[in-house]
Amino acid sequence: RMQNSRSKPCSCPSLKMREVASMYFTMVAAFLVILVVALQGSAPRESDFPYKVPLDPQGLLELSWNVSYPEQAVHFQLLIRELQFGILFGMSDRGEFENADLAVLWSDGHNSYFGDAWSDAKGQLHMDSQQDYQLLGARRAPEGLYLLFRRAFSTCDPKDYLIEDGTVHLIYGILEKPVRSLQAINVSALHGGLQRVQLLKPNISIPELPRDMKTMEITAPDVVIPSQETTYWCYMAELPEGFPKHHIIMYEPVVTAGNEALVHHMEVFQCAAAFDSFPHYNGPCDSKMKPERLNYCRHVLAAWAMGAQAFYYPEEAGLAFGGPGSSRYLRLEIHYHNPLVFKGRRDSSGIRLYYTATLRPHDAGIMELGLVYTPVMAIPPGEDSFILTGYCTDKCTQLALPAAGIRIFASQLHTHLAGRKVVTVLSRDGRERQVVNADGHYSPHFQEIRMLKEVVAVFPGDELITTCTYNTEDRSRATVGGFGILEEMCVNYVHYYPQTQLELCKSAVDPGYLHRYFNLVNRFNDEEICMCPQVSVPEQFYSIPWNTFNRDVLKSLYGFAPISMHCNKSSAVRFP
């Protein structure tokens, strides 16, 4: 958890200090008694905590926060609507209650206590000798109890979670009975769960918005949310006839009041201009009734995930829509997450687009980086962190980018279910220069378009290298690249300006070298792998006995073998 703290020197207390701290702790605990009633303060303003997310599906726990980069700290405000005997709140690698870093409020029925704790690999709680969740206050209000506390990004405490850019898995647990002590809390019996957020939001100044700005809401038409845990809902909308070219300059979520905990993420796609018309549709995306043609609505205009704010384009660029060569048809997709299986909930959520007829100097574009969707890239079963890398090479950027370069201002990382980490770096003259976007706790269930802290300039001859780390410990056969949910992808959709013809800059291993790998495996193993040309690459991967030798050779093949490069224009035509 401390792997990144080298870059920031911290003064850590010496061991003696720590021993003293832990001896005093039993005494300190007595001072942590919160006399909540006595702490009647004035309510903090909503603007003090600009980011907000419900933690549980019922919306009983609501977290708001702000980020101070000068202080390198996060301030949290947790609203507990129906407090019983306490609450656990914290962070862990992937949302587990084991090896977690926790702030705990608990009551023994007489007094209430607050402290910084950690859980071990068995889920047993321990008070932390270094108290890094600092309680700033608590107050009762008609809607519930507000707890205010602060936590530094990096604390130099090996038991603490290091808060980094990217996804953070927050965990919560509700104490329904009084507990004698912190150690008496049984984590496995708690009513609890997890919520994913990007805690460290970029500190971006909001661009000035033009006077002639208009809005358009693409929202679900009062649909009844199905009473099942997961639903992807599709709704077709269309722009008015003869709608001229405009620039989208910002967008924000519109979430029906009361459904904040159910609307997990939403996307608006534009359909392919090749078709004159698209059928109307309003229903589940996986339904047999969904017209086949809707699969041609894949060009992302806007994407939002729970906890995200409004998305702003930089003032010199906008996303073009409308006008000739642009489809009038849009597809709204909403992911409803309804684990408590509420029945009959109605919803009209969606996305509000802000657009202008006064075009900005540049059209924004979206480019795909990473790996081509092909089965030649595969992950053996039973791997805890298998790495695949896709390249956008210097030859491709040399051909396709303007001399003045492009500016990347946002990025959306994408894998399927086995993805655990994704990072894209910019390399120039053979040296890594800058991280474009990195998520060390990436989750395929939380994919949002993220504004970058700083714009990344990419020039002809630069390389963009995207690396994905996968976990296949729960799988018994190889996972190949492809479009299916049990196949894998490694993609970074980067949002940039000015728009170029380059829509896709990706690679895969050279298929001829993969064929040599299959030959080698055949020679070294007793079992025959059928190498006949009519057997598909996935079938060949599925028949490999995954011993250490076969795994290691595949790893090194991906590391050194020549690559096949895809440097594509929008019409899927390759640059020469």
Side-chain angles (χ1 to χ4, degrees):
R1 295 234 173 107
M2 295 298 291
Q3 70 272 33
N4 283 21
S5 57
R6 283 198 303 273
S7 55
K8 297 192 191 94
C10 304
S11 53
C12 297
S14 67
L15 193 63
K16 283 188 182 135
M17 275 282 291
R18 289 214 154 186
E19 287 163 357
V20 173
S22 65
M23 288 191 305
Y24 271 103
F25 198 79
T26 41
M27 297 159 66
V28 175
F31 293 103
L32 283 174
V33 174
I34 309 174
L35 300 170
V36 169
V37 189
L39 284 169
Q40 296 290 1
S42 60
R45 294 188 308 280
E46 196 137 290
S47 59
D48 294 343
F49 297 97
Y51 313 115
K52 186 160 84 174
V53 70
L55 289 184
D56 66 308
Q58 277 169 293
L60 296 176
L61 301 172
E62 191 175 276
L63 181 76
S64 312
W65 75 97
N66 68 40
V67 182
S68 167
Y69 287 101
E71 286 180 45
Q72 295 278 296
V74 182
H75 291 84
F76 295 103
Q77 173 182 276
L78 182 59
L79 166 61
I80 308 163
R81 289 190 198 278
E82 292 170 19
L83 180 62
Q84 294 174 305
F85 292 93
I87 182 97
L88 282 75
F89 166 81
M91 306 170 219
S92 68
D93 183 35
R94 304 209 62 82
E96 323 84 349
F97 274 87
E98 296 76 34
N99 299 317
D101 175 9
L102 298 158
V104 188
L105 171 70
W106 78 97
S107 165
D108 55 13
H110 309 290
N111 293 321
S112 303
Y113 305 87
F114 177 94
D116 178 349
W118 55 277
S119 64
D120 58 26
K122 293 195 173 81
Q124 177 63 48
L125 292 192
H126 305 269
M127 195 48 92
D128 201 331
S129 58
Q130 186 180 316
Q131 291 286 300
D132 292 304
Y133 282 106
Q134 299 165 348
L135 183 67
L136 303 174
R139 57 176 191 88
R140 283 210 186 282
E143 60 273 27
L145 172 73
Y146 284 97
L147 272 189
L148 273 73
F149 49 97
R150 168 187 191 280
R151 166 71 153 68
F153 299 172
S154 170
T155 61
C156 277
D157 178 345
K159 299 292 181 214
D160 282 356
Y161 180 94
L162 176 65
I163 302 175
E164 300 173 284
D165 291 342
T167 304
V168 177
H169 290 70
L170 301 176
I171 53 178
Y172 65 88
I174 294 167
L175 297 180
E176 291 166 330
K177 296 201 268 295
V179 283
R180 294 187 314 283
S181 68
L182 182 84
Q183 285 72 19
I185 296 173
N186 175 4
V187 168
S188 57
L190 281 181
H191 167 66
L194 82 144
Q195 178 64 287
R196 300 176 183 91
V197 298
Q198 177 195 21
L199 272 185
L200 302 188
K201 302 282 189 188
N203 194 4
I204 287 173
S205 53
I206 292 172
E208 203 166 308
L209 298 171
R211 285 211 180 90
D212 69 345
M213 183 172 73
K214 295 196 175 91
T215 64
M216 174 188 299
E217 292 191 0
I218 314 289
T219 53
D222 194 30
V223 307
V224 176
I225 300 176
S227 49
Q228 59 194 42
E229 177 160 354
T230 302
T231 302
Y232 282 83
W233 193 271
C234 282
Y235 170 66
M236 291 296 288
E238 54 188 286
L239 299 173
E241 243 184 273
F243 185 76
K245 179 176 170 179
H246 287 79
H247 270 164
I248 296 171
I249 52 177
M250 89 172 250
Y251 60 81
E252 64 186 3
V254 181
V255 179
T256 300
N259 292 348
E260 291 84 0
L262 299 178
V263 178
H264 186 274
H265 71 251
M266 305 186 280
E267 294 189 86
V268 175
F269 299 93
Q270 188 166 33
C271 300
F275 299 96
D276 291 337
S277 72
F278 280 81
H280 281 284
Y281 180 71
N282 179 39
C285 301
D286 58 0
S287 160
K288 303 242 183 329
M289 306 301 291
K290 188 187 90 169
E292 193 62 23
R293 192 169 276 192
L294 268 56
N295 295 337
Y296 291 93
C297 306
R298 303 189 72 90
H299 175 71
V300 179
L301 286 186
W304 171 88
M306 210 180 245
Q309 298 299 104
F311 182 93
Y312 294 90
Y313 279 83
E315 46 205 21
E316 50 281 12
L319 187 65
F321 79 138
S326 164
S327 173
R328 293 201 300 121
Y329 295 89
L330 308 176
R331 175 169 70 91
L332 171 70
E333 182 176 302
I334 303 181
H335 172 191
Y336 294 113
H337 180 59
N338 183 8
L340 300 177
V341 196
F342 293 119
K343 290 185 169 58
R345 282 282 190 102
R346 302 191 86 86
D347 185 70
S348 302
S349 298
I351 287 179
R352 184 181 295 122
L353 303 174
Y354 291 77
Y355 62 98
T356 171
T358 311
L359 300 182
R360 289 175 165 187
H362 302 292
D363 284 351
I366 299 173
M367 188 190 305
E368 284 190 40
L369 306 176
L371 287 173
V372 183
Y373 308 127
T374 161
V376 303
M377 304 304 293
I379 305 138
E383 292 281 344
D384 72 332
S385 53
F386 194 87
I387 290 171
L388 294 178
T389 300
Y391 300 87
C392 174
T393 60
D394 49 349
K395 291 194 179 82
C396 181
T397 60
Q398 193 73 56
L399 265 175
L401 297 189
I406 58 169
R407 306 285 180 274
I408 299 176
F409 59 88
S411 153
Q412 182 183 24
L413 306 174
H414 178 76
T415 73
H416 285 174
L417 302 177
R420 294 293 178 271
K421 297 179 183 190
V422 186
V423 58
T424 296
V425 295
L426 170 80
S427 151
R428 185 173 295 147
D429 305 325
R431 296 215 342 261
E432 271 187 28
R433 298 296 167 126
Q434 171 171 22
V435 172
V436 179
N437 190 6
D439 196 340
H441 300 274
Y442 170 84
S443 166
H445 305 292
F446 189 59
Q447 307 186 18
E448 50 181 3
I449 300 178
R450 292 183 178 157
M451 293 178 275
L452 301 184
K453 283 200 171 71
E454 50 195 54
V455 170
V456 177
V458 185
F459 295 100
D462 287 355
E463 292 186 87
L464 292 159
I465 303 168
T466 302
T467 300
C468 294
T469 306
Y470 299 95
N471 180 303
T472 55
E473 285 178 310
D474 59 346
R475 301 191 180 186
S476 54
R477 71 173 194 179
T479 300
V480 296
F483 289 96
I485 195 67
L486 291 175
E487 297 172 330
E488 266 311 329
M489 294 187 169
C490 176
V491 189
N492 182 354
Y493 297 97
V494 291
H495 295 245
Y496 72 96
Y497 67 89
Q499 187 171 26
T500 66
Q501 286 202 301
L502 183 61
E503 279 220 344
L504 184 150
C505 187
K506 298 160 89 170
S507 73
V509 71
D510 182 298
Y513 277 77
L514 182 67
H515 198 70
R516 293 181 196 181
Y517 168 75
F518 290 140
N519 274 327
L520 179 78
V521 167
N522 239 347
R523 290 218 299 273
F524 268 81
N525 292 282
D526 302 336
E527 295 128 274
E528 273 294 300
I529 300 173
C530 182
M531 299 295 300
C532 0
Q534 64 270 31
V535 174
S536 67
V537 169
E539 291 303 326
Q540 293 185 35
F541 270 122
Y542 299 152
S543 60
I544 290 180
W546 289 109
N547 55 40
T548 316
F549 176 80
N550 291 347
R551 288 172 192 271
D552 289 350
V553 175
L554 184 67
K555 269 182 205 164
S556 49
L557 174 89
Y558 286 149
F560 87 88
I563 58 173
S564 148
M565 188 60 212
H566 290 231
C567 183
N568 293 15
K569 299 182 185 182
S570 54
S571 48
V573 176
R574 293 198 194 181
F575 278 87

